PDB file of all heavy atoms in Angstrom:
ATOM      1  N   CYS A  30       2.495  -2.152 -16.994  1.00 91.00           N
ATOM      2  CA  CYS A  30       1.390  -1.510 -16.230  1.00 91.00           C
ATOM      3  C   CYS A  30       0.067  -1.641 -17.018  1.00 91.00           C
ATOM      4  O   CYS A  30      -0.984  -2.034 -16.521  1.00 91.00           O
ATOM      5  CB  CYS A  30       1.654  -0.079 -15.957  1.00 91.00           C
ATOM      6  SG  CYS A  30       2.829   0.229 -14.652  1.00 91.00           S
TER       7      CYS A  30
ATOM      8  N   THR B 124       7.759   3.541  -9.091  1.00 92.00           N
ATOM      9  CA  THR B 124       6.309   3.677  -9.407  1.00 92.00           C
ATOM     10  C   THR B 124       5.880   2.662 -10.444  1.00 92.00           C
ATOM     11  O   THR B 124       4.867   1.992 -10.293  1.00 92.00           O
ATOM     12  CB  THR B 124       6.039   5.075  -9.944  1.00 92.00           C
ATOM     13  OG1 THR B 124       6.427   6.035  -8.959  1.00 92.00           O
ATOM     14  CG2 THR B 124       4.575   5.275 -10.264  1.00 92.00           C
ATOM     15  N   LEU B 125       6.672   2.512 -11.487  1.00 91.00           N
ATOM     16  CA  LEU B 125       6.231   1.583 -12.555  1.00 91.00           C
ATOM     17  C   LEU B 125       6.227   0.154 -12.045  1.00 91.00           C
ATOM     18  O   LEU B 125       5.261  -0.588 -12.359  1.00 91.00           O
ATOM     19  CB  LEU B 125       7.219   1.690 -13.775  1.00 91.00           C
ATOM     20  CG  LEU B 125       7.078   2.989 -14.578  1.00 91.00           C
ATOM     21  CD1 LEU B 125       8.165   3.071 -15.614  1.00 91.00           C
ATOM     22  CD2 LEU B 125       5.725   3.058 -15.260  1.00 91.00           C
ATOM     23  N   VAL B 128       3.232  -0.173  -9.332  1.00 89.00           N
ATOM     24  CA  VAL B 128       1.921  -0.108  -9.893  1.00 89.00           C
ATOM     25  C   VAL B 128       1.621  -1.342 -10.737  1.00 89.00           C
ATOM     26  O   VAL B 128       0.536  -1.915 -10.626  1.00 89.00           O
ATOM     27  CB  VAL B 128       1.767   1.174 -10.759  1.00 89.00           C
ATOM     28  CG1 VAL B 128       0.478   1.165 -11.592  1.00 89.00           C
ATOM     29  CG2 VAL B 128       1.752   2.420  -9.879  1.00 89.00           C
ATOM     30  N   MET B 132      -1.416  -3.821  -9.922  1.00 88.00           N
ATOM     31  CA  MET B 132      -2.448  -4.057 -10.941  1.00 88.00           C
ATOM     32  C   MET B 132      -2.574  -5.559 -11.219  1.00 88.00           C
ATOM     33  O   MET B 132      -3.657  -6.051 -11.377  1.00 88.00           O
ATOM     34  CB  MET B 132      -2.065  -3.342 -12.232  1.00 88.00           C
ATOM     35  CG  MET B 132      -2.213  -1.844 -12.159  1.00 88.00           C
ATOM     36  SD  MET B 132      -3.909  -1.298 -11.888  1.00 88.00           S
ATOM     37  CE  MET B 132      -3.647   0.316 -11.303  1.00 88.00           C
ATOM     38  N   SER B 138      -4.191   0.136  -7.300  1.00 70.00           N
ATOM     39  CA  SER B 138      -2.982   0.438  -6.491  1.00 70.00           C
ATOM     40  C   SER B 138      -3.408   0.214  -5.038  1.00 70.00           C
ATOM     41  O   SER B 138      -4.284   0.883  -4.510  1.00 70.00           O
ATOM     42  CB  SER B 138      -2.533   1.870  -6.717  1.00 70.00           C
ATOM     43  OG  SER B 138      -1.367   2.116  -6.021  1.00 70.00           O
ATOM     44  N   HIS B 149      -5.614   9.770  -4.324  1.00 86.00           N
ATOM     45  CA  HIS B 149      -6.495   8.914  -5.124  1.00 86.00           C
ATOM     46  C   HIS B 149      -7.919   9.410  -5.025  1.00 86.00           C
ATOM     47  O   HIS B 149      -8.655   9.466  -6.040  1.00 86.00           O
ATOM     48  CB  HIS B 149      -6.396   7.485  -4.624  1.00 86.00           C
ATOM     49  CG  HIS B 149      -6.920   6.477  -5.618  1.00 86.00           C
ATOM     50  ND1 HIS B 149      -8.267   6.226  -5.777  1.00 86.00           N
ATOM     51  CD2 HIS B 149      -6.309   5.704  -6.548  1.00 86.00           C
ATOM     52  CE1 HIS B 149      -8.446   5.324  -6.708  1.00 86.00           C
ATOM     53  NE2 HIS B 149      -7.267   4.973  -7.213  1.00 86.00           N
ATOM     54  N   GLY B 159      -8.876   4.582 -12.028  1.00 78.00           N
ATOM     55  CA  GLY B 159      -8.081   3.436 -12.488  1.00 78.00           C
ATOM     56  C   GLY B 159      -6.555   3.629 -12.494  1.00 78.00           C
ATOM     57  O   GLY B 159      -5.960   4.050 -11.493  1.00 78.00           O
ATOM     58  N   LEU B 160      -6.016   3.233 -13.609  1.00 83.00           N
ATOM     59  CA  LEU B 160      -4.542   3.183 -13.728  1.00 83.00           C
ATOM     60  C   LEU B 160      -3.874   4.517 -13.464  1.00 83.00           C
ATOM     61  O   LEU B 160      -2.876   4.607 -12.744  1.00 83.00           O
ATOM     62  CB  LEU B 160      -4.195   2.682 -15.160  1.00 83.00           C
ATOM     63  CG  LEU B 160      -2.781   2.367 -15.472  1.00 83.00           C
ATOM     64  CD1 LEU B 160      -2.265   1.275 -14.541  1.00 83.00           C
ATOM     65  CD2 LEU B 160      -2.661   1.898 -16.952  1.00 83.00           C
ATOM     66  N   ILE B 161      -4.399   5.575 -13.991  1.00 87.00           N
ATOM     67  CA  ILE B 161      -3.742   6.882 -13.873  1.00 87.00           C
ATOM     68  C   ILE B 161      -3.815   7.405 -12.457  1.00 87.00           C
ATOM     69  O   ILE B 161      -2.794   7.852 -11.885  1.00 87.00           O
ATOM     70  CB  ILE B 161      -4.327   7.891 -14.848  1.00 87.00           C
ATOM     71  CG1 ILE B 161      -4.046   7.461 -16.312  1.00 87.00           C
ATOM     72  CG2 ILE B 161      -3.802   9.327 -14.633  1.00 87.00           C
ATOM     73  CD1 ILE B 161      -4.731   8.287 -17.376  1.00 87.00           C
ATOM     74  N   ALA B 162      -4.988   7.288 -11.850  1.00 87.00           N
ATOM     75  CA  ALA B 162      -5.114   7.768 -10.483  1.00 87.00           C
ATOM     76  C   ALA B 162      -4.230   6.945  -9.527  1.00 87.00           C
ATOM     77  O   ALA B 162      -3.534   7.512  -8.669  1.00 87.00           O
ATOM     78  CB  ALA B 162      -6.564   7.636  -9.968  1.00 87.00           C
ATOM     79  N   GLY B 163      -4.182   5.635  -9.755  1.00 86.00           N
ATOM     80  CA  GLY B 163      -3.313   4.777  -8.907  1.00 86.00           C
ATOM     81  C   GLY B 163      -1.847   5.127  -9.058  1.00 86.00           C
ATOM     82  O   GLY B 163      -1.068   5.170  -8.095  1.00 86.00           O
ATOM     83  N   THR B 164      -1.450   5.410 -10.315  1.00 89.00           N
ATOM     84  CA  THR B 164      -0.025   5.724 -10.623  1.00 89.00           C
ATOM     85  C   THR B 164       0.375   7.033  -9.976  1.00 89.00           C
ATOM     86  O   THR B 164       1.416   7.138  -9.295  1.00 89.00           O
ATOM     87  CB  THR B 164       0.190   5.781 -12.154  1.00 89.00           C
ATOM     88  OG1 THR B 164      -0.233   4.592 -12.698  1.00 89.00           O
ATOM     89  CG2 THR B 164       1.660   6.030 -12.448  1.00 89.00           C
ATOM     90  N   VAL B 165      -0.457   8.059 -10.127  1.00 90.00           N
ATOM     91  CA  VAL B 165      -0.123   9.401  -9.621  1.00 90.00           C
ATOM     92  C   VAL B 165      -0.084   9.383  -8.059  1.00 90.00           C
ATOM     93  O   VAL B 165       0.822   9.922  -7.436  1.00 90.00           O
ATOM     94  CB  VAL B 165      -1.094  10.433 -10.151  1.00 90.00           C
ATOM     95  CG1 VAL B 165      -0.873  11.786  -9.471  1.00 90.00           C
ATOM     96  CG2 VAL B 165      -0.940  10.600 -11.645  1.00 90.00           C
ATOM     97  N   SER B 166      -1.073   8.725  -7.458  1.00 89.00           N
ATOM     98  CA  SER B 166      -1.141   8.718  -5.990  1.00 89.00           C
ATOM     99  C   SER B 166       0.099   7.945  -5.428  1.00 89.00           C
ATOM    100  O   SER B 166       0.682   8.370  -4.441  1.00 89.00           O
ATOM    101  CB  SER B 166      -2.443   8.128  -5.527  1.00 89.00           C
ATOM    102  OG  SER B 166      -2.625   6.789  -5.949  1.00 89.00           O
ATOM    103  N   TYR B 167       0.434   6.862  -6.057  1.00 90.00           N
ATOM    104  CA  TYR B 167       1.562   6.105  -5.570  1.00 90.00           C
ATOM    105  C   TYR B 167       2.879   6.907  -5.698  1.00 90.00           C
ATOM    106  O   TYR B 167       3.721   6.966  -4.814  1.00 90.00           O
ATOM    107  CB  TYR B 167       1.736   4.772  -6.302  1.00 90.00           C
ATOM    108  CG  TYR B 167       2.923   3.990  -5.767  1.00 90.00           C
ATOM    109  CD1 TYR B 167       2.801   3.128  -4.697  1.00 90.00           C
ATOM    110  CD2 TYR B 167       4.183   4.119  -6.327  1.00 90.00           C
ATOM    111  CE1 TYR B 167       3.879   2.430  -4.179  1.00 90.00           C
ATOM    112  CE2 TYR B 167       5.298   3.453  -5.820  1.00 90.00           C
ATOM    113  CZ  TYR B 167       5.080   2.623  -4.717  1.00 90.00           C
ATOM    114  OH  TYR B 167       6.170   1.924  -4.215  1.00 90.00           O
ATOM    115  N   MET B 168       2.977   7.579  -6.853  1.00 92.00           N
ATOM    116  CA  MET B 168       4.211   8.348  -7.098  1.00 92.00           C
ATOM    117  C   MET B 168       4.404   9.480  -6.099  1.00 92.00           C
ATOM    118  O   MET B 168       5.476   9.668  -5.574  1.00 92.00           O
ATOM    119  CB  MET B 168       4.138   8.963  -8.534  1.00 92.00           C
ATOM    120  CG  MET B 168       5.448   9.623  -9.023  1.00 92.00           C
ATOM    121  SD  MET B 168       5.284  10.334 -10.617  1.00 92.00           S
ATOM    122  CE  MET B 168       5.737   8.988 -11.662  1.00 92.00           C
ATOM    123  N   ALA B 169       3.285  10.111  -5.719  1.00 91.00           N
ATOM    124  CA  ALA B 169       3.414  11.234  -4.732  1.00 91.00           C
ATOM    125  C   ALA B 169       3.848  10.626  -3.406  1.00 91.00           C
ATOM    126  O   ALA B 169       4.737  11.259  -2.737  1.00 91.00           O
ATOM    127  CB  ALA B 169       2.011  11.849  -4.587  1.00 91.00           C
TER     128      ALA B 169
END
Side-chain angles (χ1 to χ4, degrees):
Chain A
C30 285
Chain B
T124 301
L125 288 173
V128 169
M132 289 296 161
S138 185
H149 197 278
L160 187 60
I161 295 173
T164 304
V165 172
S166 59
Y167 182 87
M168 190 181 269

